[in-house]
């Protein structure tokens, strides 16, 4: 294998075949909602009930028995297990399907659906049930309101220092199922290229930053991702 430092970025497309709808493939609506109504700090201030309800519905769907990790999630976990170099999986997804497949070194740069955050202390708690305006934290006295631990549009993504450090060392950068429309993630390919990595896009259709990748695989994630990563392991 010609690589020692691999960084993978995943987006909503990798979870599409698990039954979780992407965002851009539905006329720019996310489960029939405009993002500015459910995924911005302004929306949360304006109509908190709608925002809590939106994420409660997403969480219930994620925890329903018919949602499972797919072959693409499994192939990435298997690659990480067998690869002897450094491996980092950065995901824009808020679902936990990478973890369910067995991935270990995962950074959720846009937060996690199965977590809430204290609005006062910012402490994170695991959340498997609905959260409402009357839900309260266990960390403050008096107890304070909780919000979804999600990075909304207009907020700073998480783990940017770690991600930028990993990109600066990467010799292979692979982006899977992401439209290339949401920054800073859409800019990772430029950073990886700048530091000399080989860059590969795996997507159903060409993304907005398609031309910046040096190699492309077009197809469903459940076929293209196992094919690509299994071939890399065979090369080693
Ligand atoms: P996006 O919805 O903007 O783009 C999805 C991309 O996946 C598209 O380029 C599409 O062509 C591709 N795609 C669709 N089906 C595919 C398949 N079967 N195989 C391979 N590729 C496929 O997604 P994004 O770029 O990740 O940005 C959306 C934002 O919305 C993210 O910030 C994310 O937090 C949030 N979101 C998350 C989830 C989730 O956690 N599963 C779902 C929807 C939206």
């Amino acid at each position: 294998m010609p690589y020692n430092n691999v960084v993978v970025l995943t987006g909503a497309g990798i979870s599409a075949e698990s039954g979780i709808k992407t965002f851009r493939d539905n006329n720019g609506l996310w489960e029939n909602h405009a993002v500015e109504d459910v995924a911005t700090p302004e929306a949360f201030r304006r109509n908190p009930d709608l925002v809590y309800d939106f994420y409660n519905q997403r969480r219930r769907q994620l925890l329903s028995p018919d949602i499972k990790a797919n072959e693409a999630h499994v192939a990435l976990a298997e690659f990480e297990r067998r690869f002897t170099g450094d491996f980092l999986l950065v995901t824009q997804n808020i679902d936990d399907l990478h973890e369910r497949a067995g991935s270990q070194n995962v950074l959720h740069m846009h937060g996690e659906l199965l977590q809430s955050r204290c609005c006062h202390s910012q402490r994170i708690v695991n959340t498997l049930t609905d959260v409402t305006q009357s839900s309260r934290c266990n960390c403050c006295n008096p107890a304070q309101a909780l919000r979804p631990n999600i990075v909304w549009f207009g907020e700073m993504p998480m783990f940017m220092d770690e991600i930028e450090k990993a990109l600066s060392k990467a010799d292979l950068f692979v982006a899977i199922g992401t439209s290339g429309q949401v920054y800073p993630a859409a800019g990772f390919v430029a950073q990886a290229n700048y530091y000399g990595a080989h860059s590969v896009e795996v997507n159903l259709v060409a993304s907005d930053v398609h031309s910046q990748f040096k190699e492309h695989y077009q197809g469903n994630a459940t076929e293209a991702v196992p094919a690509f990563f299994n071939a890399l392991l065979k090369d080693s």
Side-chain angles (χ1 to χ4, degrees):
M1 157 126 34
Y3 307 112
N4 295 309
N5 281 289
V6 176
V7 177
V8 175
L9 171 70
T10 61
I14 198 168
S15 296
E17 291 163 86
S18 290
I20 300 178
K21 284 193 185 141
T22 66
F23 164 39
R24 315 264 161 203
D25 295 335
N26 296 284
N27 304 318
L29 295 180
W30 190 1
E31 299 280 356
N32 301 322
H33 291 281
V35 275
E36 31 315 335
D37 292 338
V38 291
T40 63
E42 294 75 26
F44 188 54
R45 277 194 293 274
R46 201 170 51 233
N47 192 346
D49 284 337
L50 175 70
V51 175
Y52 281 119
D53 188 48
F54 176 76
Y55 289 100
N56 287 339
Q57 285 180 35
R58 303 281 72 70
R59 190 180 307 106
R60 279 187 234 136
Q61 180 202 27
L62 179 60
L63 294 173
S64 73
D66 44 327
I67 299 289
K68 295 187 176 73
N70 65 43
E71 292 92 329
H73 299 107
V74 170
L76 285 175
E78 177 68 5
F79 180 81
E80 180 181 12
R81 202 175 58 75
R82 292 176 53 190
F83 182 55
T84 50
D86 286 345
F87 179 87
L88 175 64
L89 176 51
V90 179
T91 186
Q92 298 167 90
N93 294 345
I94 57 176
D95 66 54
D96 66 339
L97 298 183
H98 285 304
E99 286 85 351
R100 288 195 215 172
S103 287
Q104 301 286 320
N105 201 14
V106 188
L107 294 179
H108 284 265
M109 64 180 291
H110 291 165
E112 298 189 48
L113 195 49
L114 302 185
Q115 293 178 342
S116 303
R117 193 163 85 222
C118 170
C119 292
H120 182 68
S121 75
Q122 310 304 322
R123 188 173 295 190
I124 292 165
V125 285
N126 292 333
T127 303
L128 298 175
T129 53
D130 286 0
V131 182
T132 66
Q133 280 204 68
S134 50
S135 304
R136 288 290 173 270
C137 73
N138 289 324
C139 50
C140 301
N141 188 9
Q144 302 288 318
L146 291 169
R147 60 161 276 180
N149 189 31
I150 302 290
V151 177
W152 287 323
F153 287 90
E155 296 184 320
M156 184 64 84
M158 297 168 181
F159 310 113
M160 288 307 296
D161 287 350
E162 285 112 303
I163 295 167
E164 277 168 20
K165 204 167 150 201
L167 287 171
S168 73
K169 291 192 303 177
D171 46 22
L172 174 65
F173 172 71
V174 186
I176 302 164
T178 177
S179 58
Q181 295 182 11
V182 180
Y183 282 83
F188 290 171
V189 58
Q191 279 174 271
N193 285 341
Y194 174 81
Y195 287 110
H198 183 57
S199 51
V200 179
E201 175 170 274
V202 182
N203 206 317
L204 206 48
V205 296
S207 76
D208 283 19
V209 289
H210 175 84
S211 63
Q212 297 182 38
F213 288 89
K214 297 170 185 167
E215 195 180 341
H216 305 92
Y217 291 89
Q218 199 166 336
N220 279 321
T222 55
E223 289 162 25
V225 173
F228 178 78
F229 283 95
N230 292 341
L232 265 190
L233 285 171
K234 277 202 190 110
D235 272 1
S236 61

